[in-house]
């Protein structure tokens, strides 16, 4: 992804990663460029998708929460919808396939890896940056680690996943909006000393 951005305060054509040394930054923005994403959706009200997720992770999934193990994450994406990340597509399709009825499929699986980009925001001023752009109260005690919500960050509709309390957040945004999204974060994060990298 191109890193050239137009910044406020008359800073133009500056690479985000050149704004400040990484060890001095208070906010780190990381593009998770190679994260696989598979949307799993139950197509009926009595879909067995939650049972399938429980079999994989050993815990029944809840709305607004994320469940994960060492290499696999299931993000509550909506009613009977979960975004699976960092996965082997063929193996997860086999596991979920066991929960389909012989005559009527109850689960739809769509590879959305190219539809969404993921960016992590971390660092001592991560919450400060988020609160300058977002009405979601990420400081609220109900929004704890492994919470997920759909919200607006400025003019961008994003899905936010709080990975660890007050330290690390993942944001999912439509791929076509990825570059403007990073520009927006860089401009608003300029007072907080932002660094940018790719994982």
């Amino acid at each position: 992804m191109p890193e050239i951005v137009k910044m406020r305060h008359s800073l133009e054509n500056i690479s985000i990663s050149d704004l400040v040394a990484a060890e001095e930054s208070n906010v780190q923005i990381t593009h998770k460029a190679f994260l696989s994403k598979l949307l799993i959706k139950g197509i009926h009200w009595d879909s067995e998708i939650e049972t399938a997720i429980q079999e994989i992770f050993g815990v029944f999934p809840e709305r607004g929460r994320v469940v994960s193990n060492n290499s696999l994450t299931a993000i509550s994406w909506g009613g009977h919808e979960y975004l699976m990340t960092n996965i082997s597509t063929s193996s997860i399709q086999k596991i979920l396939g066991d929960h389909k009825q012989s005559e009527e499929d109850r689960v739809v699986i769509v590879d959305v890896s190219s539809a969404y980009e993921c960016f992590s925001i971390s660092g001592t001023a991560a919450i400060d940056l988020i609160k300058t752009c977002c009405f979601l109260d990420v400081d609220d005690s109900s929004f704890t680690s492994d919470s997920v919500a759909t919200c607006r960050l400025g003019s961008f509709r994003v899905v936010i996943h709080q990975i660890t309390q007050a330290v690390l957040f993942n944001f999912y945004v439509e791929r076509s909006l990825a570059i403007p999204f990073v520009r927006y974060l860089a401009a608003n994060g300029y007072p907080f000393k932002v660094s940018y990298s790719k994982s």
Side-chain angles (χ1 to χ4, degrees):
M1 188 178 84
E3 296 182 23
I4 302 302
V5 299
K6 182 175 181 179
M7 301 289 292
R8 64 183 182 183
H9 306 302
S10 300
L11 297 176
E12 297 184 8
N13 298 322
I14 295 177
S15 170
I16 299 172
S17 55
D18 289 340
L19 285 174
V20 62
E23 63 271 13
E24 297 177 2
S25 63
N26 297 318
V27 178
Q28 295 82 44
I29 300 171
T30 304
H31 179 207
K32 304 179 95 171
F34 302 106
L35 189 67
S36 297
K37 308 167 200 77
L38 201 66
L39 185 64
I40 316 298
K41 180 176 177 63
I43 59 176
H44 299 297
W45 68 270
D46 58 346
S47 168
E48 298 179 5
I49 186 169
E50 281 78 13
T51 304
I53 300 293
Q54 183 180 29
E55 179 177 306
I56 297 168
F57 294 97
V59 60
F60 196 79
E62 302 175 34
R63 290 287 301 273
R65 302 290 296 169
V66 175
V67 292
S68 61
N69 57 27
N70 292 332
S71 61
L72 182 64
T73 299
I75 301 168
S76 175
W77 203 251
H80 295 303
E81 288 185 340
Y82 295 87
L83 186 71
M84 310 290 278
T85 62
N86 249 2
I87 61 175
S88 166
T89 300
S90 59
S91 63
I92 196 65
Q93 286 177 333
K94 181 181 183 306
I95 293 170
L96 290 169
D98 295 338
H99 292 271
K100 294 182 178 182
Q101 291 188 351
S102 57
E103 296 181 359
E104 183 180 358
D105 289 351
R106 292 177 176 269
V107 175
V108 174
I109 304 170
V110 182
D111 188 346
V112 294
S113 297
S114 61
Y116 294 95
E117 295 287 0
C118 179
F119 296 90
S120 68
I121 299 178
S122 60
T124 56
I127 282 188
D128 297 316
L129 171 56
I130 293 169
K131 289 176 79 170
T132 63
C133 314
C134 181
F135 289 109
L136 178 66
D137 188 1
V138 291
D139 274 338
D140 190 276
S141 58
S142 65
F143 198 74
T144 57
S145 298
D146 285 326
S147 292
V148 62
T150 301
C151 59
R152 290 236 169 234
L153 202 69
S155 60
F156 300 93
R157 182 182 180 275
V158 298
V159 174
I160 177 174
H161 167 205
Q162 178 160 288
I163 298 175
T164 56
Q165 192 74 31
V167 176
L168 178 61
F169 299 84
N170 274 352
F171 287 86
Y172 296 86
V173 63
E174 291 179 21
R175 186 176 190 176
S176 62
L177 300 175
I179 293 174
F181 178 69
V182 172
R183 288 175 177 164
Y184 178 80
L185 289 177
N188 283 276
Y190 181 72
F192 305 115
K193 296 184 178 179
V194 171
S195 67
Y196 173 81
S197 64
K198 292 183 180 180
S199 63

